[in-house]
Amino acid sequence: MNGMKVRRVALSLHNWMGLLVGIQIVFWFVGGLVMTVLPLDLVRGERSMAEQAPASATLEQVALLGSRQELNSVRSITARQVAGIPVLQVTDLKAKTLIYHAETAALLSPIDAGLAAKVALNDFSYRVADADVAVLATEWLTEEPGDFRRTLPVWQVTLDDPDGTRLYVSPDTGRVLARRNDYWRVFDFFWMLHIMDYDEREDFNNPLLIVTTITSTLFVLTGIILLYFRFWPQRKKRGAA
């Protein structure tokens, strides 16, 4: 195959590859820029995460749990605080986890809306104009909300801070399972475009991404070939001179 034919084939492939993947290549560059600029601790909401006080349990508190008839296959007991309330977190052999009031052994799981809101406020340390952030809404979710792709049901607590924060609280353990804000939503959108998983946004090895990556590689290679033919005649002319 002579040089002119190679050039024509490379040009044809380059043009078609450009039509197929040009927009996605732009998405990759723009998405990479956005994900580089946004600090991960801001995206994850870690800058506004409050430190939690350490907790401990006495032998009397652990013994008091013996009055609970459902606790017959305990795997672990952990002392912690839930919105300032001392609790004992109990996990059984089937990995089911519940929380009990450390002083009364009263079952707190599943936690109610009021306690979920207190958990969110206790987890959040951001203040606006020297005032504590308030709760805008507390919702019980049984369907995927879009920014929480984990086990349901869950409490969604929306705060009135400038970042549009939503905290997702486990009804069983009273723990904050996820922190979402406007920065996270922007990051997640460009992450979706970057990995081309428009549903779960988790599959980095999906066929669409693989095919597009291969096509983009061919686009770049044919571009290199065209550059070679673009500059090679000039080199020949200078050599002849």
Side-chain angles (χ1 to χ4, degrees):
M1 186 181 295
N2 57 44
M4 290 300 298
K5 191 170 184 179
V6 171
R7 184 177 181 277
R8 285 196 299 270
V9 172
L11 180 60
S12 178
L13 285 175
H14 188 75
N15 290 338
W16 280 107
M17 298 302 104
L19 288 174
L20 291 173
V21 301
I23 295 178
Q24 182 56 44
I25 290 176
V26 173
F27 287 160
W28 281 338
F29 279 105
V30 174
L33 175 62
V34 170
M35 290 185 288
T36 301
V37 170
L38 288 177
L40 279 181
D41 59 342
L42 183 62
V43 171
R44 294 170 179 169
E46 295 173 351
R47 292 187 180 183
S48 58
M49 185 172 59
E51 292 187 10
Q52 302 300 314
S56 60
T58 65
L59 291 177
E60 290 78 8
Q61 290 173 338
V62 175
L64 189 60
L65 286 178
S67 62
R68 306 295 309 195
Q69 295 183 356
E70 69 270 18
L71 297 179
N72 53 10
S73 57
V74 176
R75 183 174 68 180
S76 66
I77 298 177
T78 304
R80 39 184 294 255
Q81 289 194 16
V82 174
I85 301 172
V87 303
L88 294 177
Q89 178 174 302
V90 180
T91 303
D92 64 18
L93 296 179
K94 296 181 180 180
K96 181 179 180 180
T97 301
L98 300 172
I99 54 173
Y100 297 82
H101 198 295
E103 298 175 356
T104 65
L107 178 63
L108 300 179
S109 302
I111 66 173
D112 59 19
L115 185 52
K118 291 179 181 178
V119 168
L121 290 175
N122 189 68
D123 178 84
F124 198 77
S125 64
Y126 190 90
R127 292 171 63 86
V128 179
D130 295 327
D132 290 330
V133 169
V135 172
L136 288 178
T138 303
E139 297 183 56
W140 177 253
L141 301 183
T142 57
E143 296 182 0
E144 167 61 49
D147 58 359
F148 180 81
R149 295 180 282 273
R150 301 185 187 180
T151 303
L152 298 171
V154 69
W155 285 110
Q156 180 196 73
V157 183
T158 304
L159 304 180
D160 68 346
D161 69 303
D163 296 341
T165 298
R166 292 178 182 174
L167 300 181
Y168 291 92
V169 181
S170 166
D172 296 323
T173 67
R175 290 187 181 276
V176 174
L177 300 178
R179 300 170 180 83
R180 303 292 186 249
N181 53 42
D182 294 338
Y183 300 104
W184 186 94
R185 295 178 192 100
V186 171
F187 187 97
D188 186 60
F189 175 76
F190 283 100
W191 172 253
M192 173 192 71
L193 297 179
H194 200 76
I195 68 171
M196 302 182 72
D197 181 0
Y198 306 108
D199 186 15
E200 299 296 330
R201 307 187 185 187
E202 295 179 354
D203 187 4
F204 200 77
N205 304 107
N206 66 80
L208 180 59
L209 178 61
I210 294 172
V211 171
T212 305
T213 303
I214 293 173
T215 305
S216 300
T217 303
L218 291 175
F219 175 74
V220 173
L221 292 176
T222 53
I224 293 173
I225 293 173
L226 291 174
L227 282 175
Y228 170 81
F229 283 106
R230 169 67 178 82
F231 292 110
W232 179 250
Q234 297 182 14
R235 292 180 61 187
K236 291 179 65 177
K237 289 180 181 179
R238 286 196 298 269

